[in-house]
């Protein structure tokens, strides 16, 4: 299944961001610590250009701590990028952002003008909660559904920092199918835009490879299932998800697995590593090259027929 979700307001937001970026001193990009690569909008580098960036690995309490450290080291290889791993609900952690803003834009310390920052991030990554914690009051609307924020707004955080909030934006096409699945697993894609069973199958296969002991412990399984389908059936049997005739209701079992994953009931789980995504990027490059070769071959055949 191809997972895709790009509402009209996201296209509008992307155009507005491009217009005001020249006035921005610093970009704050909020990522999901469980999927730092998949939640890193590939449009952001072209939008921000050489503007320095703080990448926030939010929801770090839900992510594997060791893998979060790996991701921070990997992301900071990019010029002008610093990272912070935190949880948006913890004020003491969140206020580290303000200190880092001042360190990354030192020329504004002696100026009367505030540091102009822009916060960006995909839907449901915790951006609004982060803003409210920074501001010390409810400014941004918070919800457990993606795409709550629909328009830009400017917020004076005090201490010489001005923040521009933007709607959560995805991108028109998920080139990497694995990223589309990971976004769906973590709740960045609306439930109505995905098939629960398909996404849960993807999550099950990954959990069996990367966190088998968590699966066995959470669902009290005597032995580990051999496949993603067998795992969903085992969950359905344990939780009484049955249809008339005794068949396992895979949709209900899928809902249980995804809801418990998103809420952290299976412990701290990270769904991708730098090594994984580097291999995926090589594979995508090969696919792109093959498509270009096929396109050139078709063009050459058309040209030959015209002769």
């Amino acid at each position: 299944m191809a997972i895709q979700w790009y509402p009209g307001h996201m296209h509008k937001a992307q155009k507005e961001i491009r217009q005001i970026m020249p006035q921005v001193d610093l970009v704050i990009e909020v990522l999901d610590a469980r999927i730092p690569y998949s939640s890193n909008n590939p449009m952001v580098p072209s939008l921000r250009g050489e503007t320095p960036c703080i990448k926030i690995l939010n929801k770090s309490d839900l992510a594997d701590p060791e893998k979060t450290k790996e991701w921070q080291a990997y992301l900071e290889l990019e010029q002008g990028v610093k990272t912070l791993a935190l949880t948006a609900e913890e004020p003491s952690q969140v206020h580290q952002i303000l200190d880092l803003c001042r360190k990354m834009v030192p020329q504004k310390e002696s100026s009367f003008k505030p540091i102009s920052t822009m916060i960006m991030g995909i839907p449901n990554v915790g951006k609004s909660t982060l803003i409210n914690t920074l501001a010390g009051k409810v400014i941004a609307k918070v919800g457990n559904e993606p795409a709550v924020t629909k328009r830009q707004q400017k917020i004076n955080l005090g201490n010489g920092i001005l923040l521009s909030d933007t709607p959560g934006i995805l991108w028109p096409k998920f080139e990497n199918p694995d990223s589309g699945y990971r976004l769906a697993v973590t709740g960045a894609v609306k439930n109505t835009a995905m098939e629960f069973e398909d996404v849960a199958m993807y999550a099950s296969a990954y959990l069996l490879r990367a966190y088998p002991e968590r699966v066995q412990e959470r669902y009290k399984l005597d032995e580990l299932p051999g496949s993603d389908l067998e795992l969903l059936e085992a969950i359905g049997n344990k939780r009484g998800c049955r249809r008339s005739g005794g068949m396992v209701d895979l949709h209900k079992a899928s809902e249980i697995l995804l809801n418990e994953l998103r809420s952290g009931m299976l412990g701290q789980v990270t769904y991708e590593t730098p090594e994984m995504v580097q291999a995926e990027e090589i594979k995508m490059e090969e696919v792109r090259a093959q498509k270009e070769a096929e396109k050139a071959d078709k063009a050459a055949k058309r040209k030959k027929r015209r002769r």
Side-chain angles (χ1 to χ4, degrees):
M1 180 187 74
I3 296 171
Q4 210 60 53
W5 185 52
Y6 190 64
H9 77 271
M10 292 189 186
H11 176 66
K12 180 184 176 185
Q14 183 259 125
K15 289 171 65 178
E16 291 175 352
I17 289 168
R18 197 177 295 278
Q19 287 173 352
I20 66 172
M21 186 59 73
Q23 286 79 52
V24 174
D25 298 313
L26 178 70
V27 169
I28 301 170
E29 185 181 12
V30 187
L31 308 176
D32 187 323
R34 298 168 295 176
I35 51 168
Y37 170 81
S38 296
S39 59
N40 188 353
N41 190 327
M43 295 166 66
V44 169
S46 65
L47 288 170
R48 73 177 178 88
E50 295 183 2
T51 306
C53 181
I54 300 173
K55 291 184 184 285
I56 305 296
L57 277 70
N58 196 26
K59 304 186 181 182
S60 61
D61 56 321
L62 297 175
D64 187 320
E66 290 304 313
K67 289 185 171 59
T68 296
K69 290 177 185 176
E70 288 178 28
W71 273 111
Q72 287 188 266
Y74 179 77
L75 292 170
E76 289 191 3
L77 292 173
E78 185 180 350
Q79 182 70 28
V81 171
K82 294 293 181 184
T83 65
L84 284 174
L86 50 80
T87 302
E89 292 84 359
E90 292 290 336
S92 60
Q93 293 183 2
V94 171
H95 284 89
Q96 296 176 50
I97 298 170
L98 303 179
D99 294 333
L100 189 53
C101 285
R102 285 187 281 270
K103 288 179 182 176
M104 292 187 71
V105 192
Q107 66 272 23
K108 284 292 184 84
E109 283 279 40
S110 57
S111 170
F112 291 108
K113 292 183 179 179
I115 298 172
S116 177
T117 65
M118 175 183 285
I119 190 163
M120 305 169 70
I122 66 167
N124 211 31
V125 78
K127 184 164 63 68
S128 295
T129 301
L130 191 70
I131 291 168
N132 292 338
T133 304
L134 280 170
K137 57 184 175 181
V138 177
I139 291 176
K141 187 178 178 182
V142 176
N144 59 6
E145 278 283 313
V148 172
T149 304
K150 296 289 197 301
R151 61 183 178 82
Q152 290 191 33
Q153 60 177 332
K154 288 194 175 182
I155 304 154
N156 190 342
L157 298 178
N159 298 314
I161 297 175
L162 187 67
L163 181 69
S164 293
D165 182 20
T166 61
I169 54 171
L170 290 172
W171 47 105
K173 184 179 181 181
F174 299 147
E175 191 175 25
N176 183 345
D178 289 287
S179 288
Y181 276 109
R182 292 173 195 139
L183 287 163
V185 169
T186 55
V189 176
K190 275 197 172 182
N191 290 339
T192 52
M194 69 183 215
E195 293 178 15
F196 267 82
E197 293 95 322
D198 196 32
V199 174
M201 289 276 195
Y202 181 90
S204 297
Y206 177 74
L207 289 169
L208 287 171
R209 292 195 309 272
Y211 297 96
E213 70 289 346
R214 306 272 186 88
V215 171
Q216 200 161 359
E217 181 183 348
R218 175 65 190 170
Y219 299 108
K220 297 178 173 56
L221 304 176
D222 295 331
E223 57 184 52
L224 205 64
S227 70
D228 47 10
L229 176 59
E230 288 176 11
L231 174 55
L232 286 181
E233 287 178 337
I235 292 171
N237 281 322
K238 286 286 182 178
R239 298 296 180 84
C241 304
R242 292 191 172 279
R243 292 177 175 173
S244 57
M247 295 287 290
V248 171
D249 188 328
L250 288 179
H251 183 83
K252 285 186 178 178
S254 298
E255 283 186 327
I256 288 170
L257 176 62
L258 292 178
N259 288 336
E260 294 191 354
L261 268 176
R262 291 171 182 175
S263 62
M265 291 183 181
L266 277 86
Q268 294 172 301
V269 175
T270 295
Y271 300 95
E272 57 195 16
T273 65
E275 293 75 19
M276 282 172 58
V277 300
Q278 285 171 338
E280 290 168 10
E281 285 179 340
I282 292 170
K283 185 177 178 181
M284 285 190 296
E285 189 58 44
E286 291 172 350
V287 170
R288 280 193 292 267
Q290 184 179 352
K291 286 182 179 178
E292 286 299 318
E294 290 172 356
K295 186 178 176 181
D297 184 52
K298 287 179 182 178
K301 286 179 180 178
R302 285 196 299 269
K303 188 176 180 180
K304 188 176 180 180
R305 283 197 296 268
R306 293 193 195 104
R307 291 175 181 172

